[in-house]
Amino acid sequence: MYIVTGGAGFIGSAFVSFLNSKGIKEILVVDVLERSGRWKNLTGKSFSDYMHRDEFLELIQSDRLTKTPSAIVHMGACSSTTEMDADFLMRNNFRYSCAVAEYCERHDVRLVYASSAATYGAGENGYSDKANLESLHPLNPYGFSKHAFDQWMQSRAFSPKAVGLKFFNVFGPGESFKGDMSSVVLKSWQQIKTSGEVQLFKSYRPEFADGEQKRDFVYVKDCCKLMWWLLENHSVTGLFNVGSGKARSWNDLVNSVYSALKLPARIRYIEMPEHLRGQYQYFTEASLDHLRAAGYAEPFSSLEDSVRDYVTKHLETSSC
C-alpha cells in the first residue's frame, strides 16, 4: 500500500496515475479538496481510500494508521509562491512534513518528499543540490518553508530511507486547478485560445532581454518516472534536484506552445507587478550531477517534446 499526500494536487495526482499504470491501485490519497476543483484530478484514477489531511495527521501522530504503507510520497503542501502568511506555510509545509517524516522513521517506511527550487533564492550561490544549505537565501515565505524542512531533514541525516526532491518549474496535466500558480505553458495555451496573443513579463535587469529570463522547465511525466525509480531504489537518500538540467527562456517556452498548435507566435511584454519584482528568479538551472551519480540514468524530455505532448495529448483534448 502506498500513501500519496497531496494526491489530488498536480504532481501527486500525476503520480497516482503513474502507479495505476504499474498496476498499483492500493493507494491512500491524502488531501484537502474543499471547493478547489482538485477532486477532478482524481477522476479516472484508481485508489483504495481517501483521507482528509487533518485526519491523516492525527492518525500518524498517534500511530493509529490501520496499515503500515510500503512508502509515503509526500507532495502535500501549499505551493503558492505569492502566499505571504508565513505562519500558515510553516504549519502546512514544515510542521506537517515533520510529522510525516517522524512517522516514517518510527516505522521504517520509505519517504519521498517535495522540496523546491525556490529554496535557492536568486541563485547567487548556484543550483547545486550538494551546496551547504546554510548558504541559501529563499526569496519568499514558500521557499523558506521548504528550505526549513530540508534543513530539518539534513539535521537528521535524512534518515535511512528518506529522499527530498527540489522540483524546478514543473508543468503538465493536472495543474488546471492551480489558477494563477499554473504553468506558463497552460496560461499561454489559454491566452492563445482567447486572444491569439501571449503576455510575458518585461525584464528589469539589463543582462536579460524581455522574455529571455530563463528557467529550468521539467515535464511532470519525467518527474513521475524519477519518483518511481526512487521507490525501487531505497538505498538512494538525500536531497536531489529535479529539472531538465537545461535553462530555457520564456520566449522558447511560448514559441513551443505556438509550434505545437501550428500557429505563428504573437508575444506582448507587459509590466511585472511591483510586489513580484523583488522575489523574481531570472535564471534557474538544475545541476543533475548528484542525481546521475546516484544512478538515475533516464533522460529528461526536451522542452519542445514535452510541450507538444502536453498541448496535443492533453490540453487540446480537454483532459488536462
Side-chain angles (χ1 to χ4, degrees), residues 93-124:
N93 294 1
F94 177 70
R95 289 307 321 165
Y96 177 25
S97 298
C98 291
V100 172
E102 288 171 337
Y103 172 86
C104 289
E105 286 182 6
R106 289 194 303 274
H107 296 275
D108 193 32
V109 172
R110 176 64 158 169
L111 171 64
V112 177
Y113 78 87
S115 181
S116 171
T119 59
Y120 288 115
E124 61 271 28

Side-chain angles (χ1 to χ4, degrees), residues 232-250:
E232 292 189 309
N233 292 271
H234 286 197
S235 63
V236 178
T237 63
L239 192 58
F240 296 91
N241 285 334
V242 183
S244 68
K246 183 175 178 59
R248 301 291 300 273
S249 72
W250 294 112

Side-chain angles (χ1 to χ4, degrees), residues 29-77:
V29 170
V30 178
D31 215 309
V32 180
L33 297 180
E34 295 179 329
R35 302 177 185 272
S36 65
R38 297 161 72 94
W39 64 269
K40 295 178 183 178
N41 278 348
L42 295 177
T43 59
K45 297 177 176 66
S46 298
F47 52 97
S48 54
D49 201 0
Y50 168 85
M51 191 178 292
H52 189 280
R53 175 201 59 207
D54 294 347
E55 181 185 1
F56 175 68
L57 185 56
E58 180 183 345
L59 290 177
I60 61 172
Q61 288 178 318
S62 59
D63 277 332
R64 290 188 294 115
L65 274 182
T66 57
K67 186 175 182 179
T68 301
S70 304
I72 296 181
V73 177
H74 181 46
M75 301 289 113

Side-chain angles (χ1 to χ4, degrees), residues 27-261:
I27 306 164
L28 169 60
V29 170
V30 178
D31 215 309
V32 180
L33 297 180
E34 295 179 329
R35 302 177 185 272
S36 65
R38 297 161 72 94
W39 64 269
K40 295 178 183 178
N41 278 348
L42 295 177
T43 59
K45 297 177 176 66
S46 298
F47 52 97
S48 54
D49 201 0
Y50 168 85
M51 191 178 292
H52 189 280
R53 175 201 59 207
D54 294 347
E55 181 185 1
F56 175 68
L57 185 56
E58 180 183 345
L59 290 177
I60 61 172
Q61 288 178 318
S62 59
D63 277 332
R64 290 188 294 115
L65 274 182
T66 57
K67 186 175 182 179
T68 301
S70 304
I72 296 181
V73 177
H74 181 46
M75 301 289 113
C78 172
S79 60
S80 173
T81 57
T82 59
E83 174 59 63
M84 292 295 110
D85 187 340
D87 285 325
F88 163 73
L89 288 166
M90 290 301 285
R91 287 193 308 273
N92 197 64
N93 294 1
F94 177 70
R95 289 307 321 165
Y96 177 25
S97 298
C98 291
V100 172
E102 288 171 337
Y103 172 86
C104 289
E105 286 182 6
R106 289 194 303 274
H107 296 275
D108 193 32
V109 172
R110 176 64 158 169
L111 171 64
V112 177
Y113 78 87
S115 181
S116 171
T119 59
Y120 288 115
E124 61 271 28
N125 294 306
Y127 296 95
S128 170
D129 44 19
K130 298 184 73 174
N132 181 359
L133 295 184
E134 304 300 326
S135 69
L136 304 184
H137 302 283
L139 296 175
N140 52 53
Y142 163 73
F144 172 73
S145 69
K146 289 293 190 178
H147 180 56
F149 184 62
D150 287 343
Q151 290 181 301
W152 187 87
M153 289 296 292
Q154 185 183 63
S155 73
R156 305 166 82 88
F158 282 88
S159 80
K161 286 191 174 181
V163 60
L165 302 178
K166 289 199 175 197
F167 290 108
F168 279 64
N169 282 65
V170 186
F171 66 93
E175 60 169 316
S176 57
F177 74 93
K178 292 168 66 72
D180 194 49
M181 287 295 107
S182 61
S183 74
V184 173
V185 179
L186 176 56
K187 290 179 180 177
S188 296
W189 177 80
Q190 291 170 334
Q191 290 177 31
I192 292 168
K193 291 298 178 178
T194 56
S195 69
E197 176 185 81
V198 174
Q199 298 180 351
L200 291 176
F201 288 140
K202 292 179 179 178
S203 171
Y204 296 86
R205 287 171 54 176
E207 65 268 37
F208 292 92
D210 290 340
E212 288 301 307
Q213 307 96 315
K214 292 184 177 181
R215 299 286 178 87
D216 190 325
F217 304 104
V218 60
Y219 200 24
V220 71
K221 294 182 181 182
D222 289 336
C223 297
C224 290
K225 291 178 183 178
L226 169 60
M227 291 156 66
W228 175 251
W229 181 80
L230 289 168
L231 292 187
E232 292 189 309
N233 292 271
H234 286 197
S235 63
V236 178
T237 63
L239 192 58
F240 296 91
N241 285 334
V242 183
S244 68
K246 183 175 178 59
R248 301 291 300 273
S249 72
W250 294 112
N251 287 330
D252 289 339
L253 184 83
V254 172
N255 282 322
S256 295
V257 178
Y258 276 108
S259 176
L261 293 169

